[in-house]
Amino acid sequence: MAVPFIELKDAVGGYDRTPVFRPVNIGIPKGEFAGIVGPTGSGKTTFLKIILGLLSPLSGEVTVSGVSVYGNKKIPIGYVPQVETVDWDFPVTVEEVVLMGRCKEKAFLPWNSKKDRQDAKNLLERLGLGELAKRHIRALSGGQQQRVFLARALISNPALLILDEPTAGVDIKTQHNVLHLLGELNKEGMTILLTTHDLNAVAAHLPWVICFNKGIIAQGDPEDIFTPAVLKKTYEADMNVIRHGDFVMMAHSTPLSFKKKKRQP
Amino acid sequence: MDIIFAPLQYEFFRTGLIAAPLVGALCGLLGVYIVLRGMSYIGHGLSHAAFGGAVIGYVLNLNFYVGAGLWGFLAAILINQVVRKNKIGADAAIGVITTASFAIGVALISRVRHFTKNFEAALFGNILGVTLNDVWIVFAVFLVTSGVIFILYKRLLFTTFDEETARVYGVSTAWVDTIFSLILAASIIASMQILGVTLIAAAIVIPAITARQLTDSFNKMLFYSVIIGALTSILGMYCSFYFDIASGASIVLFAAATFTAVLIIKRFKRPKMEIQAPGLPEVSGEIPHEHPHRHEGVLHLHPHQDIEDRSHDHHQAEHGDEKGEAHPHPHPHTHGREKHQHDHGHPHQDHK
């Protein structure tokens, strides 16, 4: 087995000495494209934060390509936070946001080098935002906003890309585009880790899924692990799994009956 | 011309005229970061804290800048730490720490009643009593602050915009915050003698928030804020001279008037509407609007470029003439930038 790129050994994440989840042991190989699913408050974001090095694990070890992440600034991680955490009134243009991604490298001058600006331009063009460099971040559609923050993550050419709910709050078409883009990046060799709420439209299409609820419940190919038993343990609710060829679909097993009964003619 | 040059014959006015725009520019520069962080009252708080320090310094026979400086730095760093380590909002931390520091000053003044120094200048500022020494100190602080902001520009921007993500990208935000607290405390103490404890908050907030109304770009906001801070200070000084009002108050009132004017002008000069819906062509200046209308039982949708074209009555009349025209393709559909392909009365046979 290959040496895992991201490795957690008995890692416990939490705040103020209060653990949020049970000790986690997991190894994610390089080039993986994995989704983390689980209910709200299950500790998904905390799990991401200890991998990002934003939180020190309360116990255990978290390493990315063999080095401990907490307090280490050398690991090239691209991070796309949840859209809701962004201050949309902040006076920054698309280009200014994207070039924040270049902040750590020799950033002792207030202006951006020609190369930086060219790289930003190329990247924005690739993401279909070429015309929008001088726009304020609020003057964009939801999908464009998502891609701007993706561009900020990509401009430093990270080996690992971590996204917190990249498909929340955007329409189906945008969701599709974002996933396609991520798939492309993954093909180029980037390791991608994301959290999602959407089992059917997102998680079911990923090559690897980690079911998380205060610890890892199961992980594997969604076709294998999306079973009523695993889902029940993850979501603490009964769910049905419908299989149709290669297609897996999850649904409530007890349909809500708010609908009025059809009138008999 | 005389209006401008007449006051210059007084030395106190000349000194004040150098000090005021320096302070205005300094507060304008830092104000941008403070306003964007939602810490508007830190200027108010820190100046009060420093006042407490100045009184202690006086009782201990220390220089004003030493007492106020040490106390101000301490308060700034304490606020930073309290906010970082506990789940306490910046506003609450400022409220607790700085008011307590101010209270120490007030307590000391009331205990030691025989003060020879007049603390009124520190409270309300007295730009006309500014010495050349004070001007040099403001100038030095201005240089250091600009230098720090120049070097830390990108890190400060990232930290102010999104502290957590900045950390992922390798920015030592704890350091950035500490350094910023230090230059902020230094700036407030240097400005305090000139503007006064009670007026400093306005000098920090108003230029920045006025600049924010004028632009959506960060570096432009910085630039405008510095200019507005400096200009309103100069004009405020003249007002103070001619209307014989306290210079600090005059400067702040002038800045507030500028802010109000900008708000009013902005209201009357609304920017052209821009519609940016995904998938819709981007049209500025005019508002395209679509409306479904039916002819021959087919629901039909296309954008109207003409802003005046709101009534839609013509469609019924004109499309009414098209009786018998077949629609070979499924509707509804939307047309992109092509301007009104279906000119009124135009039959739709070209869509085969």
Side-chain angles (χ1 to χ4, degrees):
Chain A
M1 200 190 135
V3 184
F5 183 51
I6 306 171
E7 195 171 26
L8 281 80
K9 285 185 194 154
D10 290 319
V12 178
Y15 303 87
D16 296 331
R17 278 170 243 131
T18 316
V20 170
F21 52 77
R22 296 182 295 275
V24 165
N25 282 292
I26 189 176
I28 298 171
K30 208 172 169 71
E32 188 59 272
F33 185 4
I36 303 161
V37 298
T40 15
S42 60
K44 283 180 299 198
T45 300
T46 313
F47 180 61
L48 282 193
K49 280 185 179 172
I50 62 169
I51 296 174
L52 286 165
L54 282 172
L55 278 177
S56 162
L58 298 181
S59 64
E61 222 187 308
V62 183
T63 56
V64 172
S65 72
V67 278
S68 174
V69 280
Y70 184 67
N72 191 328
K73 296 186 197 103
K74 298 264 160 58
I75 299 161
I77 300 181
Y79 173 47
V80 181
Q82 278 189 50
V83 190
E84 295 107 83
T85 64
V86 175
D87 176 2
W88 295 105
D89 280 328
F90 199 94
V92 274
T93 59
V94 168
E95 190 187 36
E96 282 173 327
V97 169
V98 174
L99 284 170
M100 282 179 192
R102 277 278 164 89
C103 198
K104 61 184 160 186
E105 302 154 28
K106 55 177 183 185
F108 288 106
L109 287 176
W111 48 82
N112 298 302
S113 70
K114 228 179 205 166
K115 186 183 173 294
D116 284 346
R117 300 184 62 151
Q118 189 56 45
D119 288 352
K121 194 168 171 256
N122 294 345
L123 187 57
L124 284 173
E125 250 151 43
R126 183 179 170 193
L127 298 180
L129 302 166
E131 308 282 295
L132 307 174
K134 300 288 172 202
R135 279 269 178 90
H136 183 240
I137 47 170
R138 189 182 267 297
L140 302 171
S141 70
Q144 290 167 338
Q145 288 175 337
Q146 188 62 256
R147 276 177 284 158
V148 169
F149 285 87
L150 188 59
R152 178 176 74 180
L154 295 177
I155 197 151
S156 55
N157 262 327
L160 171 61
L161 180 63
I162 293 183
L163 308 96
D164 200 358
E165 293 286 348
T167 53
V170 294
D171 57 76
I172 294 174
K173 191 180 155 205
T174 308
Q175 218 173 50
H176 210 80
N177 288 345
V178 169
L179 281 179
H180 259 279
L181 193 61
L182 293 178
E184 237 176 77
L185 292 166
N186 178 245
K187 264 194 202 132
E188 291 167 17
M190 198 176 283
T191 310
I192 299 175
L193 199 57
L194 58 85
T195 59
T196 179
H197 267 109
D198 201 327
L199 292 176
N200 290 315
V202 182
H205 300 287
L206 299 177
W208 196 262
V209 169
I210 300 161
C211 293
F212 201 91
N213 189 357
K214 317 248 183 247
I216 294 174
I217 306 287
Q219 57 164 323
D221 187 316
E223 263 195 67
D224 306 326
I225 64 153
F226 280 160
T227 61
V230 168
L231 292 174
K232 172 149 177 109
K233 231 178 145 187
T234 309
Y235 286 92
E236 292 157 33
D238 285 319
M239 287 176 102
N240 266 340
V241 179
I242 303 150
R243 281 170 202 279
H244 183 84
D246 290 345
F247 206 72
V248 200
M249 184 139 168
M250 274 70 62
H252 281 284
S253 59
T254 42
L256 300 173
S257 48
F258 297 140
K259 277 193 206 160
K260 284 186 185 124
K261 276 190 183 145
K262 274 185 189 152
R263 265 182 230 141
Q264 296 296 321
Chain B
M1 270 310 175
D2 220 29
I3 293 180
I4 295 171
F5 292 113
L8 291 178
Q9 55 183 296
Y10 303 102
E11 203 200 328
F12 71 85
F13 192 85
R14 287 201 299 272
T15 322
L17 205 55
I18 301 168
L22 272 176
V23 168
L26 184 61
C27 290
L29 182 63
L30 293 170
V32 169
Y33 294 95
I34 289 167
V35 164
L36 291 177
R37 277 175 184 218
M39 296 177 90
S40 290
Y41 259 76
I42 194 151
H44 196 73
L46 278 186
S47 58
H48 280 72
F51 177 78
V55 176
I56 295 172
Y58 180 77
V59 171
L60 296 176
N61 250 332
L62 293 169
N63 176 284
F64 165 82
Y65 288 108
V66 175
L70 283 178
W71 209 253
F73 286 145
L74 208 72
I77 288 171
L78 210 58
I79 290 170
N80 220 330
Q81 290 303 311
V82 168
V83 173
R84 268 180 176 271
K85 298 267 150 75
N86 306 283
K87 281 174 192 126
I88 295 175
D91 52 348
I94 293 166
V96 174
I97 292 162
T98 60
T99 327
S101 307
F102 183 66
I104 293 176
V106 174
L108 274 178
I109 290 178
S110 59
R111 182 91 176 82
V112 190
R113 281 182 190 282
H114 49 277
F115 271 108
T116 45
K117 187 174 162 77
N118 187 0
F119 278 98
E120 200 179 307
L123 277 176
F124 300 109
N126 184 6
I127 204 161
L128 305 178
V130 172
T131 63
L132 215 55
N133 208 14
D134 294 327
V135 175
W136 278 114
I137 285 176
V138 172
F139 186 65
V141 170
F142 181 77
L143 278 187
V144 171
T145 302
S146 315
V148 168
I149 288 191
F150 185 89
I151 291 169
L152 290 183
Y153 178 84
K154 286 186 181 170
R155 281 156 237 243
L156 257 172
L157 171 61
F158 205 167
T159 307
T160 312
F161 180 55
D162 183 353
E163 196 264 341
E164 195 165 66
T165 313
R167 268 200 288 153
V168 176
Y169 285 75
V171 178
S172 314
T173 56
W175 270 112
V176 170
D177 278 345
T178 308
I179 293 171
F180 185 77
S181 295
L182 293 183
I183 55 171
L184 176 65
S187 302
I188 282 169
I189 291 151
S191 313
M192 221 167 97
Q193 286 285 71
I194 293 167
L195 279 176
V197 168
T198 44
L199 297 173
I200 236 166
I204 286 179
V205 175
I206 299 174
I209 203 74
T210 312
R212 179 66 189 91
Q213 305 304 312
L214 298 172
T215 180
D216 267 340
S217 155
F218 184 77
N219 52 28
K220 279 187 191 149
M221 181 177 169
L222 263 188
F223 184 70
Y224 292 163
S225 183
V226 168
I227 300 283
I228 291 169
L231 271 184
T232 51
S233 300
I234 294 173
L235 294 169
M237 278 293 290
Y238 276 95
C239 278
S240 154
F241 182 86
Y242 283 109
F243 298 109
D244 196 20
I245 44 178
S247 52
S250 166
I251 289 170
V252 167
L253 285 176
F254 214 93
T258 311
F259 172 66
T260 315
V262 167
L263 272 192
I264 292 171
I265 292 168
K266 225 190 150 197
R267 176 141 296 202
F268 280 107
K269 235 183 97 182
R270 267 175 203 265
K272 280 189 173 179
M273 277 277 212
E274 277 195 20
I275 300 264
Q276 289 128 13
L280 253 188
E282 190 190 301
V283 183
S284 43
E286 295 163 339
I287 306 166
H289 62 288
E290 296 176 340
H291 61 93
H293 50 268
R294 194 177 282 273
H295 28 106
E296 285 306 299
V298 190
L299 193 64
H300 183 93
L301 194 72
H302 61 78
H304 289 239
Q305 300 287 344
D306 188 354
I307 194 167
E308 300 302 324
D309 177 18
R310 284 251 166 223
S311 71
H312 310 145
D313 297 337
H314 55 277
H315 286 295
Q316 274 138 29
E318 282 144 4
H319 290 313
D321 301 338
E322 297 170 15
K323 272 197 182 128
E325 292 290 349
H327 279 268
H329 61 296
H331 285 66
H333 63 240
T334 310
H335 297 286
R337 214 179 260 280
E338 348 153 19
K339 201 171 181 176
H340 246 239
Q341 284 284 323
H342 318 283
D343 251 327
H344 307 136
H346 187 301
H348 289 202
Q349 332 141 287
D350 52 331
H351 287 293
K352 286 225 169 87

